Amino acid sequence: MTDDVSLDGRAAIVTGAGQGIGRAEALGLAAAGASVIINDLDGNGADQTAAQIRAAGGTAITSTGDIGEWSTAQDLLDAALREFGRLDILVNNAGVLRDRMIFSMSPEEWDLVLRTHLRGHFLTSRVATAYWREASKQAGGEIYGRIINTSSEAFLLGAVGQPNYAAAKAGIAALTVATARGCARYGVRANAICPRARTAMIGGLLGPAPEDGPDPLDAEYVAPLVTYLASPAAANINGEVFVVHGGVAAVLAPPTVAATFLAKEHGSPDGMWTLDAIADALAGFATGPSGAGFLCEDTMALATETIGFGAGEGR
């Protein structure tokens, strides 16, 4: 391992690290030399992850709690400072699903998913960036801070059975860009991943693992990108969103303007919109065969053998 990807002497928080992707990320960070604070609502899962890290010669402690609570985020920062004297890396992974069509979803199902994913990402990012901002002021320049958030292709696809999850993951992508832009001056780098992995949370959405060879949906293949983004080598990567699984990593482009209409070209006397002018402008405009204009299906072509669902359904 080269020095630019080594995490020796660094301290990291990983939320939702009691199993699945979060556990793989915590193991990867620890293998690169980081001391890791393991968060999960499930204390047994968190303890098992920490035990695996220690058994491999690494350093890990647990700090369990509901990631949607402000006190949990503060406890995580306090644990990092108390045990390791620093915080360098935050990996936000904790999540939950309550899948249902929009016309059947209860307010409680909506709120729980948004609270766990989007509010959970905000709370930990809030305490971490405040700590790094103050450290930067004390140092008189940039410090070291890395945030890796977990979005999903569900927001790109407008997952029809996951309106709460898709909305939360879209919010996380926006939160990542806002954090990257707002905190770069302090030395903080914030990026997001949209992982595909066979985890307990998504159950049977993905097909069975192959009988021979590596499983491209094993969570262990998501962890190397997360470790890299947490490392010094990623100092020039900020505000990006990656799709990652198996042997594929793709950097997403930001949305682009598909068409522009000007009122002055459609009968408006003062160049401002009127109902007649907008009706004239959009008379020949129609959404394509996908049925939703603001929809990205490009990632579906990335290693399609890893997909166990059709277009329009999310992770």
Side-chain angles (χ1 to χ4, degrees):
M1 183 184 301
T2 59
D3 288 344
D4 61 345
V5 295
S6 171
L7 299 178
D8 285 346
R10 306 289 183 190
I13 292 169
V14 184
T15 71
Q19 61 181 340
I21 294 173
R23 175 175 288 178
E25 291 167 336
L27 293 170
L29 294 171
S35 299
V36 186
I37 298 95
I38 306 297
N39 164 264
D40 204 282
L41 191 59
D42 176 9
N44 290 332
D47 288 342
Q48 291 171 14
T49 301
Q52 282 187 249
I53 290 173
R54 290 192 288 264
T59 302
I61 63 167
T62 62
S63 181
T64 58
D66 178 357
I67 205 61
E69 292 286 347
W70 169 261
S71 59
T72 300
Q74 191 61 59
D75 287 347
L76 286 167
L77 176 61
D78 291 346
L81 300 183
R82 181 180 64 251
E83 298 294 331
F84 307 127
R86 60 191 299 144
L87 174 65
D88 305 283
I89 300 157
L90 169 63
V91 179
N92 284 311
N93 172 75
V96 65
L97 289 179
R98 290 295 184 272
D99 293 353
R100 207 173 296 278
M101 299 293 286
I102 186 65
F103 44 76
S104 301
M105 182 166 290
S106 71
E108 293 76 17
E109 289 167 332
W110 173 271
D111 290 346
L112 175 64
V113 171
L114 270 290
R115 182 180 186 276
T116 304
H117 290 273
L118 186 53
R119 176 179 165 86
H121 274 61
F122 159 69
L123 292 176
T124 53
S125 297
R126 165 67 173 79
V127 299
T129 54
Y131 165 72
W132 287 326
R133 180 172 180 263
E134 181 59 30
S136 174
K137 287 183 177 181
Q138 295 297 322
E142 291 191 4
I143 47 77
Y144 191 100
R146 298 286 188 271
I147 297 176
I148 299 95
N149 290 330
T150 306
S151 185
S152 169
E153 289 171 272
F155 99 85
L156 300 172
L157 297 167
V160 295
Q162 300 178 306
N164 47 5
Y165 184 72
K169 293 305 189 180
I172 287 168
L175 173 65
T176 302
V177 175
T179 303
R181 296 186 66 201
C183 298
R185 73 189 74 177
Y186 309 120
V188 177
R189 302 293 180 263
N191 295 284
I193 63 168
C194 299
R196 291 182 197 168
R198 198 183 313 282
T199 66
M201 191 175 81
I202 60 173
L205 270 178
L206 303 174
E211 295 181 3
D212 300 313
D215 178 4
L217 288 175
D218 193 311
E220 71 172 295
Y221 302 123
V222 171
L225 174 60
V226 172
T227 301
Y228 183 84
L229 292 174
S231 75
N236 293 325
I237 302 175
N238 196 34
E240 302 286 1
V241 179
F242 293 81
V243 174
V244 59
H245 50 86
V248 176
V251 183
L252 296 180
T256 59
V257 176
T260 302
F261 305 94
L262 300 177
K264 66 181 181 181
E265 297 175 356
H266 295 278
S268 171
D270 60 1
M272 301 294 109
W273 286 119
T274 63
L275 180 56
D276 286 343
I278 198 72
D280 183 74
L282 297 181
F285 180 77
T287 299
S290 69
F294 199 81
L295 168 71
C296 175
E297 294 183 305
D298 291 355
T299 63
M300 298 296 286
L302 300 173
T304 52
E305 71 274 9
T306 67
I307 300 297
F309 49 81
E313 298 179 71
R315 272 187 58 251

